[in-house]
Amino acid sequence: MEEKTRQQPISHFARRQEVRKRSSLERIRDFDEVSLGFNQDQAMSEAGRCFQCPAPKCVRACPVGIDIPEFIKHIQNDDYRAAVKVLKNRNSIPEVTGRVCPQETLCEAVCILAKRGEPVAIGALERFVADSAEEQELDVQRPSGKKVAVIGSGPAALTVAADLQKLGHQVVIYEALHESGGVLTYGIPAFRLPKEIVKKAINYIQRLGVKIEKNIVIGKSLTIDDLLESGFDAIFIGSGAGSPKFLGILGENLIGVFSASEFLTRCNLMKAYKFPEYDTPISVGQRVAVIGGGNVAMDTARTALRLGAKEVRVVYRRTEKEMPARVEEVENAKNEGVQFMTLVNLVKILGNEEVQVRGLECIRMKLGEVDSSGRRKPVEIKGSNFTLDSDTVIVATGQGPNPIISQTTPGLKIDGEGYIVVDGRGRTSRPRVWAAGDIVPNSATVIEAMGGGRNASRDIHLFLQQVGHIRNRNWLG
Ligand code: FAD
Ligand code: SF4
């Protein structure tokens, strides 16, 4: 256990601590982490700001229900080991969520100090504790004799795997790629989420006893029915939404047009930025246009800068206020030199005789009525078309589910966009099969995937406890 050396005075009225960052000049030259997190004194001072509210709203706002005042109290007492235990009771990968969770719209948004504009920096404290605490002893119940197959190894799948393995069920993860972690590994760049942090989180889950089988595509190598017939009592699908969506405009087939998924996967998973040390190259031109305004667009733009682009522009059809990206990441992108063209929409991509991108035709937009997303709808300003020089276009306007599992699983109900339909417990239309994360409708963040996974794992556990008694009932199929 960490030595209890210091007892800092508690001051609820101290200013919120600023997370330390590397300078923009230094950080755009490499893929090392931008944020340096809190040091010990900052963490202690920030923890001292927490009021320890008796009915804390932050806990309810956290999709996995972390006991936030409790873990912060342990930081105040200099007991990081106890703090991390509280975190891991509810969240098996706090080193990840502490870095990428949109805290500003969740736990921190409802902190009593948010009224003063400076909520307790819950995410930064979570990261600090997860990074600082010593290895925890593992708390796993005795084997239940039940087996669960988990498809995918992103945050939803890792949550379900950890929860169920801790409860004594044997979990086997089937991952299509040669690395585990889902978007945490191949999507979010190392300068925001270092790969050794993701490996540490996965290593913890393997130490619990979860087995990971890589390079197995469910729907191709094996089907859901093969898994059920081979003796698994329950299946969880956490296959995410990794198929890129294109815009369906002229010029999308030109050389120099990428989907953000391909661009980031080549860079993160195949280490294109270390070519020729690694096999997969990626060519990024001098003038890069990134289409979209979400986290994926910010990550893509910042990656393109680091790969040597002279000029990177984000082209977004609404205003900055409507951008779905985290505010912090938009600021980071700006400080690194990414330019923003808002209220601009892409009309077509222009090519030269060598069928390579030479520019974009764009149109200016204005905001109209509020649409179904709750944001004001962008409307074209007639006749405002203009062209923009560019040699690389990266489309970051969204991803959807890959149909391979739904096409090979008879009776699995999907909606009009291919997402798997689930009930409030994460159950699909197929008996013994649950799903959560980006593969189900209305989930788009790491912590939503984990919250959905936790919901499903609770129901899977209840089901497994009863399985011996109810094997012949209809729901078992
Ligand atoms: P995923 O993370 O997508 O993982 C799914 C896994 O399933 C993958 O490993 C895939 O290979 C595997 N798989 C798919 N099909 C099969 C199959 N047939 N057989 C076996 N395995 C299969 N969210 C945030 O909260 N904060 C952020 O800052 C943030 N930034 C993002 C940046 C980028 C570039 C991207 C792409 C997303 C970002 N997100 C962010 C969203 C977040 O990463 C996702 O919502 C989350 O990862 C979804 O988790 P998941 O478990 O559903 O699936
Ligand atoms: Fe807040 Fe996310 Fe941590 Fe929950 S997991 S306490 S929402 S930062």
Side-chain angles (χ1 to χ4, degrees):
M1 187 186 290
E2 285 83 4
E3 248 183 287
K4 291 194 174 102
T5 47
R6 291 157 298 114
Q7 201 72 42
Q8 298 250 334
I10 290 182
S11 171
H12 307 305
F13 300 102
R15 301 299 306 268
R16 177 178 158 118
Q17 292 288 318
E18 285 233 3
V19 172
R20 299 164 307 144
K21 277 183 199 170
R22 294 163 70 216
S23 78
S24 41
L25 274 181
E26 181 197 329
R27 68 199 197 215
I28 55 164
R29 296 201 203 105
D30 59 43
F31 280 76
D32 294 346
E33 191 169 16
V34 166
S35 167
L36 300 172
F38 281 160
N39 61 28
Q40 210 169 11
D41 287 340
Q42 284 182 298
M44 194 60 90
S45 162
E46 191 60 26
R49 297 179 69 233
C50 176
F51 273 92
Q52 295 289 315
C53 304
K57 288 187 181 163
C58 54
V59 178
R60 269 178 281 144
C62 168
V64 292
I66 291 177
D67 190 341
I68 295 164
E70 185 68 13
F71 96 80
I72 293 182
K73 192 167 78 194
H74 289 306
I75 303 178
Q76 289 169 354
N77 293 333
D78 229 358
D79 189 351
Y80 304 151
R81 203 170 166 146
V84 86
K85 195 166 179 202
V86 174
L87 289 175
K88 290 219 170 172
N89 272 342
R90 291 280 174 165
N91 173 351
S92 296
I93 52 173
E95 53 282 86
V96 171
T97 47
R99 285 173 164 82
V100 303
C101 216
Q103 300 106 15
E104 62 281 5
T105 60
L106 298 167
C107 51
E108 292 183 15
V110 295
C111 170
I112 192 162
L113 287 173
K115 291 193 183 120
R116 283 204 339 231
E118 293 195 341
V120 174
I122 299 167
L125 287 174
E126 185 170 307
R127 167 190 166 157
F128 173 79
V129 167
D131 287 358
S132 313
E134 290 168 15
E135 291 278 297
Q136 246 196 310
E137 68 275 9
L138 302 169
D139 191 5
V140 181
Q141 291 183 15
R142 64 188 170 80
S144 68
K146 302 291 185 308
K147 278 175 70 188
V148 182
V150 166
I151 299 164
S153 60
L158 294 176
T159 300
V160 170
D163 283 356
L164 293 175
Q165 190 74 38
K166 280 184 195 168
L167 289 164
H169 311 303
Q170 177 59 60
V171 177
V172 182
I173 285 182
Y174 292 96
E175 167 55 51
L177 297 174
H178 63 276
E179 288 279 358
S180 332
V183 170
L184 308 180
T185 298
Y186 68 74
I188 303 180
F191 55 81
R192 275 213 297 134
L193 181 61
K195 299 309 152 201
E196 57 277 18
I197 294 291
V198 182
K199 287 203 170 103
K200 182 182 162 197
I202 293 168
N203 185 31
Y204 165 75
I205 281 153
Q206 286 178 300
R207 285 195 302 120
L208 289 172
V210 172
K211 297 191 175 123
I212 304 185
E213 302 279 352
K214 296 178 196 162
N215 296 314
I216 298 197
V217 182
I218 300 302
K220 204 164 188 181
S221 330
L222 287 167
T223 64
I224 297 269
D225 285 306
D226 291 337
L227 293 172
L228 287 169
E229 279 159 26
S230 71
F232 284 103
D233 297 286
I235 312 272
F236 173 79
I237 307 174
S239 51
S243 293
K245 282 184 187 162
F246 279 97
L247 298 165
I249 56 169
L250 274 177
E252 259 182 324
N253 294 329
L254 290 166
I255 299 166
V257 181
F258 295 91
S259 71
S261 325
E262 182 193 344
F263 183 77
L264 290 172
T265 304
R266 276 176 175 254
C267 209
N268 292 325
L269 192 67
M270 286 128 181
K271 306 271 185 299
Y273 63 92
K274 288 192 177 167
F275 180 79
E277 192 188 327
Y278 283 77
D279 287 342
T280 309
I282 189 152
S283 73
V284 62
Q286 297 291 297
R287 293 175 156 192
V288 178
V290 176
I291 317 300
N295 285 319
V296 182
M298 296 311 122
D299 285 345
T300 305
R302 297 170 71 196
T303 298
L305 267 186
R306 284 162 172 77
L307 288 173
K310 291 274 172 298
E311 186 183 272
V312 179
R313 286 199 179 103
V314 165
V315 177
Y316 181 57
R317 62 196 185 131
R318 292 181 160 100
T319 72
E320 199 176 310
K321 204 167 133 231
E322 286 84 26
M323 274 188 178
R326 293 188 63 194
V327 176
E328 186 191 346
E329 301 311 339
V330 174
E331 283 309 311
N332 281 335
K334 280 186 185 166
N335 291 338
E336 289 169 10
V338 173
Q339 298 168 37
F340 283 73
M341 296 187 73
T342 51
L343 286 175
V344 171
N345 203 11
L346 179 59
V347 177
K348 63 180 170 197
I349 305 169
L350 310 169
N352 60 20
E353 284 113 45
E354 282 92 44
V355 286
Q356 272 167 336
V357 175
R358 69 172 171 84
L360 311 176
E361 183 183 326
C362 300
I363 187 162
R364 298 205 185 276
M365 312 291 280
K366 62 182 178 190
L367 290 184
E369 299 297 310
V370 173
D371 66 13
S372 55
S373 72
R375 296 175 297 174
R376 288 177 66 193
K377 194 177 167 174
V379 185
E380 289 184 355
I381 302 175
K382 286 219 162 51
S384 65
N385 298 45
F386 64 98
T387 57
L388 201 65
D389 288 345
S390 183
D391 49 23
T392 308
V393 177
I394 309 173
V395 181
T397 50
Q399 277 135 246
N402 185 310
I404 192 164
I405 291 181
S406 55
Q407 283 172 353
T408 53
T409 314
L412 186 70
K413 194 169 167 201
I414 53 168
D415 71 8
E417 292 182 74
Y419 293 96
I420 297 177
V421 176
V422 289
D423 69 10
R425 296 166 292 187
R427 291 181 181 189
T428 71
S429 56
R430 276 291 305 265
R432 294 200 276 156
V433 182
W434 285 255
D438 282 8
I439 188 63
V440 309
N442 306 321
S443 181
T445 62
V446 168
I447 196 67
E448 280 169 339
M450 292 170 66
R454 172 142 277 234
N455 194 31
S457 63
R458 212 180 286 131
D459 195 55
I460 296 173
H461 179 55
L462 282 177
F463 164 73
L464 292 176
Q465 285 177 308
Q466 298 162 16
V467 78
H469 309 297
I470 58 170
R471 196 168 276 284
N472 293 324
R473 286 214 194 140
N474 275 348
W475 201 78
L476 287 173

